Amino acid sequence: MGRFDGRIAVITGAARGIGFGTATRFAEEGASVAIVDLDESAAGDAAARLPLADGVRAIGVGANVSDEASVDAAFERIVAEFGGVHVLVNNAGITRDNLLFKMTGEDWDLVMGVHLKGAFLMTRAAQKHFVEQKYGKVVNISSTSALGNRGQANYSAAKMGVQGLTRTLGIELGPFGINVNAVAPGFIATEMTDATAARLKMDVEEFRALNAEHNPVRRVGEPADIAAAVTFLASDEASYITGQTLYVDGGVSLGV
Ligand code: NAP
């Protein structure tokens, strides 16, 4: 018996990385899963790789979370395929890092659009169904960068914005049986951090080792570390927790 038997989970940006790790954990625990990602075929391939329980399905849906029409169409399709939705994980993300004096308006808008507007649009589309059924779980992915990170004014502002959105929706949606929480990862080994290594002209393993050295638990995170926290917050065990942000970062945000 899995914690998510009979549940339908929608996870954005889940064709790879943290999103795929999280989709895998939901599938292992009995959920049907909709993987939403920019590229429909990558989303479909990822869905086909999930370890599904008997009698459940996974689909891949191509959508841009920062585009209202695309989000609404994706939700309609998911609800038509599965007959409903119980869990939404707002995970899709991009970086466009630069120091302020070099950051373009486009870099600002793109990052705000995917992380912050994307979480708003997806949650607004989900809440119609959640409110009707008086049940729903939203988990937003923030970041330790919300606390401030050189070269990430856009990303940091978006990720702290996600925490404000989480608190406010916790207040608004709590009376309807809906929990809204966030997970703020520290360094997680994915293509996103590999791309940062490449930008800094560092070897990927060397970059990971450097980050592990400065982490209280002396390792970098894996997508499974985030999946464990997300699935806890999306489970019924966490029904008295809402509006919160859980830092899953090996203690790096403790600032020691
Ligand atoms: P990743 O490997 O780069 O994966 C992100 C996924 O999101 C990609 O499949 C990407 O698709 C998709 N995506 C981008 N823009 C999208 C859009 N507009 N609509 C739908 N999908 C979109 O990143 P990750 O490391 O797994 O990160 C996942 C989340 O965790 C992000 O929100 C990130 O900010 C956050 N996070 C990551 C870390 C870390 O250390 N890795 C730390 C803190 C927070 P394409 O490949 O087609 O662009």
Side-chain angles (χ1 to χ4, degrees):
M1 177 90 181
R3 281 187 298 180
F4 300 104
D5 286 352
R7 301 286 186 221
I8 295 140
V10 178
I11 303 153
T12 69
R16 65 172 197 234
I18 292 172
F20 183 70
T22 301
T24 301
R25 183 73 190 259
F26 274 107
E28 283 168 353
E29 297 205 41
S32 290
V33 176
I35 286 189
V36 176
D37 212 292
L38 271 180
D39 178 348
E40 169 115 10
S41 74
D45 289 350
R49 284 187 278 124
L50 291 177
L52 294 176
D54 284 345
V56 303
R57 286 187 309 128
I59 59 168
V61 177
N64 178 354
V65 298
S66 62
D67 180 86
E68 192 162 348
S70 179
V71 164
D72 291 345
F75 245 89
E76 260 180 47
R77 216 174 119 191
I78 292 164
V79 170
E81 285 270 353
F82 289 121
V85 51
H86 304 99
V87 175
L88 167 66
V89 182
N90 286 308
N91 165 81
I94 57 168
T95 54
R96 292 291 184 274
D97 298 352
N98 237 327
L99 292 174
L100 180 63
F101 76 103
K102 287 195 222 160
M103 188 172 284
T104 65
E106 193 193 356
D107 289 341
W108 178 270
D109 289 343
L110 276 172
V111 168
M112 286 292 166
V114 178
H115 295 278
L116 199 46
K117 190 174 180 194
F120 155 66
L121 290 174
M122 288 294 298
T123 310
R124 193 181 60 175
Q127 64 86 34
K128 280 189 286 215
H129 307 283
F130 289 171
V131 168
E132 256 168 43
Q133 68 200 12
K134 294 265 187 299
Y135 183 93
K137 307 284 182 189
V138 180
V139 184
N140 296 318
I141 304 299
S142 178
S143 169
T144 48
S145 293
L147 302 170
N149 198 25
R150 187 178 161 81
Q152 289 197 312
N154 49 3
Y155 185 80
S156 171
K159 289 306 202 185
M160 196 47 109
V162 162
Q163 295 192 21
L165 180 71
T166 300
R167 292 173 65 96
T168 298
L169 297 185
I171 295 166
E172 286 189 21
L173 299 177
F176 301 98
I178 302 164
N179 300 76
V180 185
N181 289 290
V183 170
F187 188 108
I188 308 296
T190 69
E191 286 186 35
M192 182 178 274
T193 41
D194 291 353
T196 307
R199 246 192 336 272
L200 298 172
K201 299 193 185 348
M202 281 182 79
D203 172 69
V204 164
E205 291 308 325
E206 200 188 324
F207 187 54
R208 289 178 184 177
L210 185 70
N211 275 277
E213 208 178 292
H214 293 288
N215 190 301
V217 305
R218 298 289 188 269
R219 70 171 178 91
V220 297
E222 300 292 335
D225 292 309
I226 305 307
V230 170
T231 47
F232 167 64
L233 290 171
S235 75
D236 291 335
E237 293 166 279
S239 62
Y240 202 52
I241 303 174
T242 203
Q244 304 303 307
T245 296
L246 176 62
Y247 282 80
V248 181
D249 63 354
V252 93
S253 57
L254 299 171
V256 286

